[in-house]
Amino acid sequence: MNSLKIPITVNENKNEKTPSNQLVFGTKFTDHMFIADYTEGQGWHDHRIVPYQPITLDPSASILHYGQTVFEGMKAYLSEDGIVRLFRPEENMKRMNNSCDRLSMPQIDEEFALDALKQLIELDKEWVPAEPGTSLYIRPFMIATEAHLGVSASKTYSFIIIMSPVGSYYKEGIHPVKILVENEYVRAVAGGTGTAKTAGNYASSLKAQEVADREGYSQVLWLDGIERKYIEEVGSMNVFFKIDGEVVTPALNGSILDGITRKSIISLLKHWGVPVTERKVSMEEIREAYLNGKLDEAFGTGTAAVISPIGELRWKGELFYVNNGETGELSQKLYDALTGIQKGTVEDPFGWVVEVK
Amino acid sequence: MNSLKIPITVNENKNEKTPSNQLVFGTKFTDHMFIADYTEGQGWHDHRIVPYQPITLDPSASILHYGQTVFEGMKAYLSEDGIVRLFRPEENMKRMNNSCDRLSMPQIDEEFALDALKQLIELDKEWVPAEPGTSLYIRPFMIATEAHLGVSASKTYSFIIIMSPVGSYYKEGIHPVKILVENEYVRAVAGGTGTAKTAGNYASSLKAQEVADREGYSQVLWLDGIERKYIEEVGSMNVFFKIDGEVVTPALNGSILDGITRKSIISLLKHWGVPVTERKVSMEEIREAYLNGKLDEAFGTGTAAVISPIGELRWKGELFYVNNGETGELSQKLYDALTGIQKGTVEDPFGWVVEVK
């Protein structure tokens, strides 16, 4: 679908903008959205940029019953030089296609989708906030739209991109959060959908999150669903630990998400000469490192929060205070480097940043 | 919400009915639907019966991204005496609330929901098909509607009931189907959402189904996600085996669905004095029973198909022909008894059947 021009219907009733310092994550959207429709046998068609507007679905549409949907999360940043930058957007489009494969959904043309996104950002450029810590959060997603209650892959889909100006994901910002290690609920196992960015993984996580909330914790730390020993993710982020000077993170094992922030951090650490290993990490290992005074830092990583330091972990009634509950030196350095590259204020030695227009 | 009258907006443009012998599962819907809305702090409100019509959602609605949704499947049958009957509908409403709990969604008033369903059926009574093998399939479902991209439980929901006149779920009808034992993909594990009727379980299953289709199999048989040894479900049904005169079915283990057809079959078998056991069943046990000539019958059970005999199983390249690929005596007897009770042509010693009005 690469050579097509995208018809644009301009929104004549501009949405009112929220001041940058009052932005809440994912509640306010820009003036326009991108849509393309897919029909089996015909492929993608009717690409269009239209005013941000409700979606109309038959009550029997697959997405509402059988959860055939995938999404991505990415951000655009406005720098002082007035340039809007995207961070490794081609990685998001590639991962979206991997998710689509797992969910028996059609592939998108990654290059065209990125081009459509750039056109959408260009049109809604005034929505990209400028203040430190703010960005334009971008949500490409695909939903199954066929009106049919049989359990089978839908014959029709819509691919949609919406955008939302955001402040920090967590109200704590870069401040450390308290994490509850989850022993009852499981996020995913190998053979399931854990590696895909799909609705079911998130739906499954809400109950544990609810329990954590009640006990005063921001997020849960997920353990593997088989032995309930090994660390998987934290909330909806990948997780890293600095133990005795070495950085470790759970290896991609068929049940955790191949995070773009995760892989960027591994590259940054290697670039800096900091030892970093992808391997199995057990909670018992974390406990021992803590008791021996070797658990230096812990943090979650993801597009929404970038780096989310962990200040406290609770596991089976035991409390571990990481780095005295403060943001660690490496966590801060990684946050500054990554957000600096994203904002265009720090040199990008990797070619990660893509300028819009 | 029990004492409220339900406002009805009549559909002035009746849908055209499909002849009973041309019905396809879940593609045609009746003239009306029931809707109620939920708002945090306010509870359920705006209950209404309206013409069957599209649903309008903000593109950021939770259901489209994080899969917060549950559903039920039930059937209404028209007998020769002109009475419409439901089969254990209170069990569906109860299970829906269990699913809601797992998905951090609000509870429904089960009694009121059943009353609303009866009113809806009464209004669309002429849509209940009469021919043998046909019924009115009923789909109550709840979706998260809040326009918010943060990963948290929605603050607003809609509870909807739609209805569809159906023939047999499988084009094979009560004829035996070929089943592929799935070794790569996993449906659910304990701690996940396997016991809830929620979208993610079905989304996760499509890929394996796609592979099975390509190889000429109707459904997959799911093994446990931990040891990949024990039998869980078949497609989206519970599964039973008759081995050496005894009927066995996987015990409720925290990852399989507590099927209403499943529990009805267990009751029927006990009523008949047929030995039936709920326990772990391994594929190795099935293989050995087959090789020793003791695998008498195998069948899936669910609301949509009622009884779906298994004529062939493929596991790791080995083929097991169950009962020479023919419908077993017990499978047929269970199908006749259950559909007879549902239709009102066979005595119902359990009080399972509920007359509409």
Side-chain angles (χ1 to χ4, degrees), chain A residues 271-292:
Chain A
H271 183 70
W272 291 343
V274 177
V276 54
T277 315
E278 300 172 67
R279 62 168 168 82
K280 278 190 170 190
V281 185
S282 73
M283 253 328 280
E284 193 52 47
E285 180 187 351
I286 298 301
R287 179 176 180 270
E288 277 174 29
Y290 175 72
L291 295 177
N292 295 325

Side-chain angles (χ1 to χ4, degrees), chain A residues 24-27 29 33 52-60 63-71 101-105 137 139 141-143 147-154 160 162 164 169 184-193 198-200 202-210 225-228 236, chain B residues 24-27 29 33 52-60 63-71 101-105 137 139 141-143 147-154 160 162 164 169 184-193 198-200 202-210 225-228 236:
Chain A
V24 175
F25 187 90
T27 52
F29 297 89
M33 62 199 270
Y52 187 86
Q53 62 191 266
I55 295 171
T56 297
L57 291 165
D58 191 273
S60 69
I63 168 67
L64 304 178
H65 304 268
Y66 306 127
Q68 230 194 337
T69 174
V70 301
F71 70 87
D101 181 64
R102 180 63 186 84
L103 274 294
S104 297
M105 297 171 76
Y137 182 79
R139 171 59 58 95
F141 65 108
M142 193 191 296
I143 54 173
H148 178 213
L149 288 186
V151 180
S152 58
S154 178
I160 301 169
I162 56 176
S164 168
Y169 187 80
E184 185 179 354
Y185 299 107
V186 168
R187 180 184 169 274
V189 287
T193 57
T198 184
Y202 298 81
S204 171
S205 77
L206 295 173
K207 182 76 178 174
Q209 178 64 45
E210 190 183 297
I226 296 180
E227 300 183 71
R228 310 281 181 116
S236 50
Chain B
V24 175
F25 188 90
T27 52
F29 297 89
M33 61 199 268
Y52 187 88
Q53 61 191 265
I55 295 171
T56 297
L57 292 165
D58 191 273
S60 69
I63 168 65
L64 304 177
H65 304 268
Y66 305 128
Q68 229 194 337
T69 175
V70 301
F71 69 88
D101 181 63
R102 179 61 186 85
L103 274 295
S104 296
M105 298 170 77
Y137 182 81
R139 172 58 58 93
F141 65 107
M142 194 191 296
I143 54 173
H148 177 214
L149 287 185
V151 181
S152 57
S154 178
I160 300 168
I162 56 175
S164 168
Y169 187 80
E184 183 177 356
Y185 299 107
V186 169
R187 180 184 168 275
V189 287
T193 57
T198 185
Y202 298 82
S204 170
S205 77
L206 296 173
K207 182 75 180 175
Q209 179 64 46
E210 189 185 296
I226 295 180
E227 299 183 71
R228 311 283 179 112
S236 50

Side-chain angles (χ1 to χ4, degrees), chain B residues 89-254:
Chain B
E90 66 290 347
E91 292 285 338
N92 291 93
M93 298 307 179
K94 195 169 114 190
R95 186 171 63 185
M96 186 152 186
N97 270 340
N98 291 341
S99 298
C100 284
D101 181 63
R102 179 61 186 85
L103 274 295
S104 296
M105 298 170 77
Q107 297 285 295
I108 56 164
D109 179 325
E110 297 171 22
E111 217 175 303
F112 176 81
L114 183 51
D115 189 52
L117 171 61
K118 285 179 183 170
Q119 290 190 49
L120 182 63
I121 294 172
E122 191 57 34
L123 187 65
D124 281 349
K125 196 176 165 179
E126 63 194 65
W127 281 89
V128 191
E131 286 190 21
T134 66
S135 58
L136 185 70
Y137 182 81
I138 298 156
R139 172 58 58 93
F141 65 107
M142 194 191 296
I143 54 173
T145 56
E146 189 185 359
H148 177 214
L149 287 185
V151 181
S152 57
S154 178
K155 291 188 171 64
T156 59
Y157 299 86
S158 289
F159 171 53
I160 300 168
I161 305 176
I162 56 175
M163 307 193 299
S164 168
V166 297
S168 287
Y169 187 80
Y170 298 105
K171 57 178 183 299
E172 296 92 344
I174 176 74
H175 299 296
V177 293
K178 292 166 68 182
I179 301 292
L180 182 65
V181 180
E182 177 58 47
N183 290 302
E184 183 177 356
Y185 299 107
V186 169
R187 180 184 168 275
V189 287
T193 57
T195 61
K197 257 188 118 60
T198 185
N201 300 334
Y202 298 82
S204 170
S205 77
L206 296 173
K207 182 75 180 175
Q209 179 64 46
E210 189 185 296
V211 175
D213 271 349
R214 262 203 305 270
E215 309 218 5
Y217 289 84
S218 290
Q219 294 277 332
V220 299
L221 188 84
W222 298 105
L223 299 183
D224 79 277
I226 295 180
E227 299 183 71
R228 311 283 179 112
K229 276 184 189 173
Y230 298 101
I231 292 168
E232 298 256 313
E233 297 191 8
V234 58
S236 50
M237 296 181 285
N238 294 117
V239 65
F240 287 74
F241 298 91
K242 187 172 164 233
I243 301 174
D244 204 14
E246 188 202 12
V247 179
V248 297
T249 189
L252 301 179
N253 58 359

Side-chain angles (χ1 to χ4, degrees), chain B residues 29-54:
Chain B
F29 297 89
T30 69
D31 289 321
H32 299 89
M33 61 199 268
F34 170 81
I35 314 184
D37 296 320
Y38 179 92
T39 306
E40 195 180 84
Q42 182 183 359
W44 289 104
H45 57 88
D46 290 312
H47 315 81
R48 58 205 187 271
I49 289 175
V50 295
Y52 187 88
Q53 61 191 265

Side-chain angles (χ1 to χ4, degrees), chain A residues 296-349:
Chain A
D296 306 330
E297 300 185 31
F299 52 92
T301 69
T303 295
V306 188
I307 302 278
S308 180
I310 297 172
E312 182 184 324
L313 274 169
R314 195 175 94 193
W315 184 45
K316 296 180 177 171
E318 271 189 274
L319 284 179
F320 312 142
Y321 299 103
V322 189
N323 195 39
N324 298 314
E326 284 166 27
T327 299
E329 199 182 318
L330 183 66
S331 306
Q332 187 68 54
K333 191 178 165 192
L334 281 166
Y335 180 83
D336 293 340
L338 217 46
T339 54
I341 290 172
Q342 290 166 338
K343 270 274 190 185
T345 58
V346 168
E347 198 211 330
D348 168 19

